[in-house]
Amino acid sequence: MLCPFCSKTDTRVLESRIMNDSVRRRRECSSCTNRFTTYEKAIIHLKVTKRDNREQEFDIKKVERSLERACGKIEPEVITQLTRKIEQRILNKRVNTIKSTEIGLIVLQELKRFDKIAYLRFATVYKSLDRPELLKKELNTIIRGGN
Ligand SMILES: [Zn+2]
């Protein structure tokens, strides 16, 4: 790590703290004794292909926000857990690009297991269940316990 004050590379870690998705380190330069902080964060190289074929950087925050919308009033930790599970399923595909529709299907599968009402809320947007008969059909599959 290059010291921002003197550009020497010899720094000492005074303290490491594990944050939610990163590691924060307090450092001291062995040359000039100035102190600074660094953050270490895992970077994932994954692109999402949208329905209109545009590509976007994968952003788990978008999944999290759509889960929040679908689940309504719910403990934030539950959303975090569900988001993490979905993220792991996506990353374990070990691909460089994924279709947004594929992500949507994974979210649907997890929501179906987790909360039928949240599943329906998400499905109305995702599957465009804008006609009552489509919604009824979807409801029937849930009532029958199908997947
Ligand atoms: Zn220095």
Side-chain angles (χ1 to χ4, degrees):
M1 177 55 63
L2 216 62
C3 168
F5 299 93
C6 72
S7 296
K8 295 272 165 45
T9 53
D10 191 15
T11 63
R12 202 158 68 85
V13 175
L14 304 174
E15 189 202 356
S16 290
R17 189 176 295 165
I18 295 169
M19 318 285 278
N20 200 18
D21 59 351
S22 59
V23 182
R24 180 184 182 272
R25 293 189 211 281
R26 196 78 190 121
R27 292 174 186 267
E28 188 184 86
C29 175
S30 305
S31 286
C32 69
T33 70
N34 274 306
R35 291 179 176 191
F36 58 99
T37 304
T38 56
Y39 290 89
E40 198 173 293
K41 194 174 189 298
I43 304 292
I44 294 144
H45 295 284
L46 178 62
K47 296 238 185 250
V48 179
T49 313
K50 314 273 287 178
R51 281 177 209 256
D52 60 7
N53 281 325
R54 275 185 306 133
E55 278 195 346
Q56 234 171 37
E57 214 54 61
F58 172 68
D59 183 2
I60 192 64
K61 293 271 175 234
K62 284 181 186 166
V63 173
E64 192 167 22
R65 280 196 293 272
S66 64
L67 285 173
E68 280 167 356
R69 276 199 297 274
C71 294
K73 256 193 185 315
I74 198 170
E75 296 287 318
E77 300 89 76
V78 178
I79 295 286
T80 305
Q81 272 177 22
L82 201 56
T83 306
R84 200 155 283 170
K85 197 170 174 201
I86 291 166
E87 184 179 31
Q88 280 168 0
R89 279 191 60 183
I90 293 168
L91 296 184
N92 278 319
K93 286 183 169 290
R94 295 166 190 269
V95 290
N96 296 322
T97 52
I98 187 166
K99 287 181 179 155
S100 59
T101 48
E102 255 182 285
I103 294 176
L105 283 177
I106 292 172
V107 173
L108 277 174
Q109 284 167 3
E110 291 300 327
L111 275 180
K112 203 167 203 172
R113 258 179 245 162
F114 170 72
D115 181 337
K116 303 286 191 239
I117 299 298
Y119 165 77
L120 268 182
R121 275 201 207 106
F122 187 84
T124 49
V125 178
Y126 176 75
K127 289 189 176 178
S128 308
L129 302 177
D130 45 5
R131 300 208 310 274
E133 61 267 31
L134 290 177
L135 197 58
K136 194 177 170 210
K137 204 175 137 205
E138 196 64 38
L139 259 174
N140 284 334
T141 66
I142 288 179
I143 293 163
R144 282 199 307 271
N147 288 304

